[in-house]
Amino acid sequence: MTVTVVVGGFFGDEGKGKIISYLAQKDSPVIIVRGGAGPNAGHTICDEHKTYKVRMLPCGFLNPGARVMIGPGVVVNPKILLQEIDEFGAKGRALIDKKCGIIEDSHISRDSDLKSKIGSTGSGTGPANADRAMRELKMAEDVESLSALLTDVPGEINGAISAGRNVLIEGTQGTFLSLWHGTYPFVTSKDVTASGICADVGVGPTKVDEVIVVFKAYVTRVGDGMLNGELAAEEAEARGWSEVGTVTGRPRRAADFDFELAGRAVMLNGATQISLTKLDVLFPECAKKTAYDELSKQAQSFVEEIEGRLATPVTVIGTGPAVRDIIDRRS
Ligand code: IMP
Ligand code: MG
């Protein structure tokens, strides 16, 4: 039985969606539960058939045998959630906590100030969390269209843990977008480190077995705020590192892998494992490899440098966009 938490190690968009989707199918968790801020987060997942983009639904939805849940710490946009449940066939196995806060149109309009001030996504997440702190926010239990989805998420998860089942807890955003530990004020409206994600879903620290911190092989950031060693847009383009945000469509700024930042992320999250994504973007000869010994010497040295300098094993490595493009060195 394993309780695993997966969080982003940099500024979001590390490729957590794909890693979570893989673990959700490989490890057969009975519950996959999402913590984090709200629909400001976007995850992209590709399988053999298509590319999925989710903003509210947990990334584990591609495992039809698992129930997917959203913890009470997350603010929910009912329109986006209901649409994703419908579109991705999660009806009947997607549940949210009755104490999830609700984003309304007024939150989205209030977010436009923050868009220009700090580069917010404009999803209404920050203003909704502010209203929650003011004890003014509407709860999911007060919204009729959500009534069929409501449950006691912490009760469900802790019940599964007591029964000896696997549970996967998915974080959103990244460590340095944390309201406490990030590059304030250019941060999101919550703590999004492993401890914060566990609090969002109602799992106590003694119940967690593994904390997997996901790093991309290079660093990207959307919105404003510091990015050490930021490359000129043309250089990022030449290296194949130019990406656009899942939610906002804005270009992502890019820089080399940052060992110092990564070390701090390992510390702040209490990481037991590292997942490294997009290794094929740095080392094209590694594309779609599924075994560690098929990687080039240079790619292996990069992985081993990360393990050495961060004193943490690199266990799950992404070598391409599809969920099956993965090297799993666990066990
Ligand atoms: P907000 O959370 O929408 O207020 O945005 C605050 C900052 O966090 C902005 O720079 C956003 O671009 C960034 N941000 C929020 N959520 C994510 C995410 O899931 N991935 C990447 N950046 C994010
Ligand atoms: Mg994203």
Side-chain angles (χ1 to χ4, degrees):
M1 186 275 281
T2 314
V3 178
T4 304
V5 185
V6 181
V7 292
F10 290 138
F11 299 99
D13 309 315
E14 298 89 355
K16 291 181 295 298
K18 173 232 171 90
I19 299 300
I20 292 163
S21 187
Y22 169 76
L23 298 173
Q25 292 171 73
K26 173 80 180 170
D27 296 354
S28 309
V30 290
I31 297 176
I32 300 145
V33 58
R34 174 165 171 153
N40 49 351
H43 295 300
T44 305
I45 303 151
C46 313
D47 70 3
E48 305 83 278
H49 313 293
K50 66 183 263 203
T51 298
Y52 309 83
K53 289 182 189 295
V54 287
R55 291 178 58 188
M56 288 267 48
L57 203 60
C59 301
F61 72 91
L62 282 173
N63 173 353
R67 291 191 299 159
V68 291
M69 300 186 185
I70 300 177
V74 180
V75 290
V76 166
N77 180 320
K79 225 186 287 164
I80 298 175
L81 175 66
L82 292 167
Q83 195 250 319
E84 289 181 355
I85 291 176
D86 195 41
E87 183 179 348
F88 301 131
K91 211 167 180 166
R93 57 189 181 88
L95 299 165
I96 68 173
D97 195 84
K98 48 192 185 301
K99 299 290 181 199
C100 285
I102 297 300
I103 298 178
E104 299 186 271
D105 290 344
S106 60
H107 299 116
I108 296 171
S109 34
R110 277 159 61 196
D111 221 359
S112 60
D113 280 356
L114 278 174
K115 257 195 200 171
S116 46
K117 224 161 143 186
I118 63 141
S120 285
T121 60
S123 60
T125 301
N129 278 321
D131 278 3
R132 181 146 192 166
M134 293 304 286
R135 271 54 61 88
E136 286 173 354
L137 190 64
K138 195 188 265 185
M139 303 276 97
E141 62 193 352
D142 302 322
V143 178
E144 209 183 310
S145 63
L146 297 176
S147 60
L149 308 180
L150 302 184
T151 191
D152 168 11
V153 167
E156 295 275 1
I157 306 170
N158 285 282
I161 295 172
S162 300
R165 315 300 294 273
N166 289 347
V167 169
L168 183 59
I169 302 173
E170 53 177 81
T172 59
Q173 285 84 29
T175 299
F176 299 100
L177 290 176
S178 163
L179 183 59
W180 306 155
H181 305 292
T183 55
Y184 186 90
F186 303 100
V187 293
T188 194
S189 47
K190 299 269 306 283
D191 176 36
V192 289
T193 62
S195 316
I197 298 296
C198 289
D200 288 341
V201 304
V203 169
T206 55
K207 304 287 185 195
V208 174
D209 301 295
E210 299 290 343
V211 175
I212 303 181
V213 172
V214 183
F215 296 120
K216 191 153 59 184
Y218 48 97
V219 186
T220 59
R221 174 162 207 175
V222 285
D224 300 331
M226 74 89 182
L227 180 61
N228 283 336
E230 182 171 356
L231 301 175
E234 309 76 65
E235 175 63 15
E237 175 83 50
R239 295 191 192 186
W241 295 4
S242 33
E243 301 176 359
V244 295
T246 305
V247 174
T248 56
R250 291 179 292 182
R252 292 179 183 157
R253 302 149 60 203
D256 278 312
F257 189 91
D258 185 333
F259 281 93
E260 203 179 310
L261 212 54
R264 191 159 176 89
V266 164
M267 175 187 86
L268 290 168
N269 291 292
T272 60
Q273 301 176 39
I274 290 168
S275 172
L276 186 63
T277 62
K278 298 215 178 186
L279 191 64
D280 57 300
V281 176
L282 231 54
F283 304 99
E285 72 282 5
C286 298
K288 302 197 173 303
K289 298 293 188 218
T290 54
Y292 188 73
D293 57 15
E294 291 171 1
L295 294 180
S296 62
K297 281 280 160 292
Q298 293 94 308
Q300 289 186 0
S301 319
F302 180 58
V303 171
E304 283 152 29
E305 184 181 3
I306 291 174
E307 292 189 312
R309 289 176 65 174
L310 305 183
T312 308
V314 174
T315 52
V316 181
I317 301 172
T319 58
V323 173
R324 60 168 177 248
D325 300 330
I326 219 155
I327 298 169
D328 188 348
R329 303 165 79 205
R330 298 174 301 163
S331 83

